[in-house]
Structure formats: structure tokens, C-alpha cells
Amino acid sequence: MEEILTSEVPGLYGGLKDAESSPSTYVWYLSSDFLDSHVRADRTAFEISERVPGTPLIEDVSMDDN
């Protein structure tokens, strides 16, 4: 999954650069039993429903839950 973090991380404006001002990439890995049980067989996406307005958080996890 790829996310743009500019609006999510305070003080992050534009691309990241390393100490030599070369473009850099921030990679974050997250693992959990929940994700393992909801990943597609080809491991390219998750089978997690989109948020249904009005649905209580305790019903099911959605991609919009923070």
C-alpha cells in the first residue's frame, strides 16, 4: 500500500532527502495477525472493507479507521 504522508506528518513538506540532499524514501513495515488473515493470496492488497457511514467501530475494522 502506498500513502502520501505530507498531510499526515507535521513539518513534512515535499520529498525527503538524506544528509547529502539525495532523494530518500521512508519505508514502514507493519505486521499483525489481523493483516495476515485479511491479505489477498497474491499479497498485493488487503481484503478489508471500506468504511460504511454510521457503522459502529466495534463491528469491523475498515481502511478508514485510524
Side-chain angles (χ1 to χ4, degrees), residues 15-63:
L16 298 173
K17 298 195 184 284
D18 65 12
E20 288 79 38
S21 295
S22 298
S24 187
T25 301
Y26 182 81
V27 179
W28 180 36
Y29 296 96
L30 176 67
S31 64
S32 75
D33 293 336
F34 177 83
L35 293 176
D36 285 343
S37 66
H38 288 82
V39 70
R40 288 179 34 173
D42 60 7
R43 301 192 71 80
T44 60
F46 294 103
E47 299 290 342
I48 300 174
S49 61
E50 293 296 322
R51 184 88 159 128
V52 177
T55 305
L57 290 176
I58 58 172
E59 292 284 324
D60 197 8
V61 174
S62 73
M63 292 303 284

Side-chain angles (χ1 to χ4, degrees), residues 5-13:
L5 299 176
T6 306
S7 64
E8 303 295 329
V9 179
L12 180 60
Y13 307 104

